[in-house]
Amino acid sequence: MQLNSRNRTLDLARPVVMGILNVTPDSFSDGGAYVETARALDHALGMVEQGAAIVDVGGESTRPGADPVDEREEMARVLPLIEALRAHSDVFISIDTIKPRVMREACAAGADMINDVMALRAPGALEAACDTQAAVCLMHMQGQPRTMQKAPVYDDVVADVRSFLGARVAACRDAGIDDSRICLDPGFGFGKTLEHNLALMRNLHAFVGDGYPVLVGVSRKSMFVKLHGHDDMSSRIHASVTSAFWAATQGAGIIRSHDVAHTVEALTLAAALADN
Ligand SMILES: Nc1nc2[nH]c(SCC(=O)O)nc2c(=O)[nH]1
């Protein structure tokens, strides 16, 4: 299994880690820590050193309740970092954005992948993904970040999310985006209760069976607070790393994580235990 962009191929024979780099003042987990480009670059290169195969750059927080950011501000945050990172590393760079203009400018600056929590539904997003020839991650979200956690409801969350992603894949094909550039993501915490998230985790093999690399993003998310009945960062990190191990055993291809070194270790153990 691999993921192609216009001039890079990501080998997914074994699951890889996508290191999260939020250059946003309000990101829930590390908001504001890496806003200056030099510090952000340092952190990105550190994650590469720890074994990240992808660095996911985000300029707009999509945590529940987050305020939207205009595209000029978002580009001001992400483009200097993408340019600097491209100049210092050949790591796969993804841009975590829903805005077509930001997609285009980020790819022109050196990004290889568009990570879109709206699955290219914004007007112009499919065209941007097609024209840039970037790899794309299509993620499921029910509703909008500001309100998605109010009362999410599904007939059958696994079937509903798979059906949505299937429809988005069809839209990508119609737009001329090759299957080899697509990965899929159930969107943990994006319009899901704890029970919905657990059902999706339990059924990751079904998503894997749909034939596209599966990206899993549970890192430091509040679903673990509800599961464990208490909230501290180390507890969220332990649960995230354990989930990474589980996802790897179920065939996930990409694990999105704030804690790269620990997640790389979990995937190394999963590979060692697999009969491959
Ligand atoms: N593909 C993908 N992209 C994401 N961007 C965020 S933003 C909130 C956070 O960093 O937890 N979450 C995800 C995720 O789960 N999947």
Side-chain angles (χ1 to χ4, degrees), residues 81-93:
L81 171 58
I82 293 172
E83 283 163 4
L85 183 53
R86 186 74 298 144
H88 285 84
S89 168
D90 62 0
V91 70
F92 222 77
I93 300 173

Side-chain angles (χ1 to χ4, degrees), residues 22 28 62 96 115 117 137 139 185 190 215 217 219 221 256:
N22 292 319
F28 79 93
T62 50
D96 187 344
N115 175 23
V117 297
C137 177
M139 195 199 82
D185 182 340
F190 285 89
L215 191 154
S219 185
K221 288 188 174 175
R256 185 173 180 276

Side-chain angles (χ1 to χ4, degrees), residues 4-20:
N4 292 335
S5 77
R6 66 189 175 288
N7 50 21
R8 271 184 182 79
T9 293
L10 196 60
D11 175 16
L12 297 178
R14 289 207 163 155
V16 301
V17 177
M18 170 190 264
I20 299 167

Side-chain angles (χ1 to χ4, degrees), residues 145-162:
R146 286 185 64 75
T147 55
M148 64 188 174
Q149 288 306 111
K150 288 217 182 326
V153 174
Y154 298 84
D155 293 334
D156 171 337
V157 62
V158 175
D160 293 358
V161 172
R162 288 176 70 190

Side-chain angles (χ1 to χ4, degrees), residues 57-60 69-79 82 94-111 113-115 124-125 128 132:
V57 178
E60 178 181 37
V69 172
D70 75 37
E71 72 180 23
R72 280 167 50 86
E73 169 62 20
E74 190 176 343
M75 288 190 290
R77 292 176 182 178
V78 301
L79 295 184
I82 293 172
S94 68
I95 176 71
D96 187 344
T97 188
I98 63 174
K99 301 187 184 74
R101 173 94 189 279
V102 179
M103 295 171 186
R104 291 179 183 276
E105 296 297 331
C107 291
M113 176 168 168
I114 294 165
N115 175 23
T132 57

Side-chain angles (χ1 to χ4, degrees), residues 143-246:
Q144 299 292 329
R146 286 185 64 75
T147 55
M148 64 188 174
Q149 288 306 111
K150 288 217 182 326
V153 174
Y154 298 84
D155 293 334
D156 171 337
V157 62
V158 175
D160 293 358
V161 172
R162 288 176 70 190
S163 160
F164 169 86
L165 293 173
R168 298 311 301 155
V169 166
C172 284
R173 282 189 179 145
D174 292 349
I177 298 170
D178 190 80
D179 275 358
S180 70
R181 295 205 281 127
I182 295 171
C183 71
L184 304 180
D185 182 340
F188 293 94
F190 285 89
K192 280 93 176 179
T193 64
L194 171 61
E195 290 65 31
H196 295 144
N197 288 317
L198 294 176
L200 291 167
M201 285 289 280
R202 211 174 288 129
N203 289 277
L204 273 178
H205 57 86
F207 289 90
V208 173
D210 288 338
Y212 296 86
V214 174
L215 191 154
V216 170
V218 295
S219 185
R220 301 187 182 181
K221 288 188 174 175
S222 62
M223 60 188 272
F224 300 121
V225 177
K226 297 179 185 67
L227 182 66
H228 295 137
H230 59 257
D231 187 12
D232 60 79
M233 188 51 76
S234 64
S235 165
R236 288 190 186 215
I237 293 170
H238 295 155
S240 303
V241 174
T242 307
S243 299
F245 177 85
W246 163 260

